Amino acid sequence: MWIIYSLLSALFAGYKQIFEKRIINKVPILNLCFYQTLLVSIFILPFAFINGLKISFNLLLILYIVSWFSVLSSILLYKAVKKNEISSTVPFLNLSPIFMIFIGYIFLKEIPNIIQIFGIIIIVIGAIALGMKKTDNFSRFFNKYVWYVIITALIWGTQGVIFRYIMSEIPPFTTLTYFNL
């Protein structure tokens, strides 16, 4: 079942990037962040009541801090998508699992196995190959907008580890509800 969830998640994430690219020049970036968060909150809130909305102050504070980093990553990503081709910047979001594995190792003491390490190598090679399809010049390839996406991937990787920790304490929909509020 997790394979289906993973494939659907990737499919929806791809569509999300395409739709964002279409409207990014028509809507200010902060407005786009606001509307996206608002719509996700409206969608998730009913599911959260099923599991209850109980949360400790410490977890709520962590989610609050993480949500500020989420806004920062959204702004950086939208700026990058607005200035660069989606096909040469968005593949760098695939670096977030790499950051997640390293941060998970440091903070959760989760040790990657050989298959995960091999997967990391494939992801890095794939992201670079997709990003370089238009140019073989590294100075043009690693412009500031590509770095915005890499920073976004780092933030997302960190969020993944934090969410894993928080969801061991409270249900996922409760986590997402408070994160989006």
Side-chain angles (χ1 to χ4, degrees), residues 59-126:
L59 291 179
L60 189 60
L61 182 62
I62 291 170
L63 281 171
Y64 179 74
I65 293 167
V66 168
S67 62
W68 278 102
F69 280 102
S70 178
V71 169
L72 173 65
S73 68
S74 294
I75 291 169
L76 291 174
L77 180 60
Y78 293 149
K79 284 185 176 192
V81 168
K82 186 175 184 175
K83 297 292 182 180
N84 282 351
E85 288 185 17
I86 199 168
S87 62
S88 61
T89 53
V90 172
F92 285 97
L93 290 176
N94 292 323
L95 299 176
S96 64
I98 296 168
F99 294 125
M100 193 179 305
I101 287 174
F102 287 119
I103 295 167
Y105 173 74
I106 293 168
F107 292 105
L108 300 177
K109 306 299 183 227
E110 294 180 352
I111 300 171
N113 61 34
I114 192 71
I115 294 172
Q116 290 170 322
I117 293 170
F118 185 66
I120 289 171
I121 294 167
I122 291 172
I123 289 170
V124 170
I125 292 169

Side-chain angles (χ1 to χ4, degrees), residues 100-166:
M100 193 179 305
I101 287 174
F102 287 119
I103 295 167
Y105 173 74
I106 293 168
F107 292 105
L108 300 177
K109 306 299 183 227
E110 294 180 352
I111 300 171
N113 61 34
I114 192 71
I115 294 172
Q116 290 170 322
I117 293 170
F118 185 66
I120 289 171
I121 294 167
I122 291 172
I123 289 170
V124 170
I125 292 169
I128 291 172
L130 285 170
M132 287 192 65
K133 70 178 186 174
K134 297 282 184 180
T135 180
D136 56 358
N137 183 342
F138 269 130
S139 63
R140 289 190 318 184
F141 173 62
F142 280 109
N143 62 48
K144 72 179 181 179
Y145 299 109
V146 170
W147 286 108
Y148 286 178
V149 177
I150 292 171
I151 292 168
T152 298
L154 174 61
I155 292 171
W156 287 6
T158 304
Q159 284 177 337
V161 172
I162 292 170
F163 283 162
R164 183 173 179 318
Y165 167 74
I166 290 173

Side-chain angles (χ1 to χ4, degrees), residues 11-70:
L11 178 70
F12 291 140
Y15 281 124
K16 178 182 176 279
Q17 295 298 326
I18 291 168
F19 289 131
E20 287 171 350
K21 179 68 175 177
R22 287 183 162 211
I23 64 172
I24 198 81
N25 292 320
K26 300 173 186 170
V27 178
I29 291 174
L30 289 178
N31 291 3
L32 184 61
C33 291
F34 172 77
Y35 291 127
Q36 177 185 0
T37 302
L38 179 66
L39 291 173
V40 170
S41 296
I42 290 169
F43 176 76
I44 287 179
L45 193 57
F47 294 103
F49 284 112
I50 294 170
N51 295 317
L53 291 172
K54 295 178 183 176
I55 186 171
S56 72
F57 177 76
N58 289 341
L59 291 179
L60 189 60
L61 182 62
I62 291 170
L63 281 171
Y64 179 74
I65 293 167
V66 168
S67 62
W68 278 102
F69 280 102
S70 178

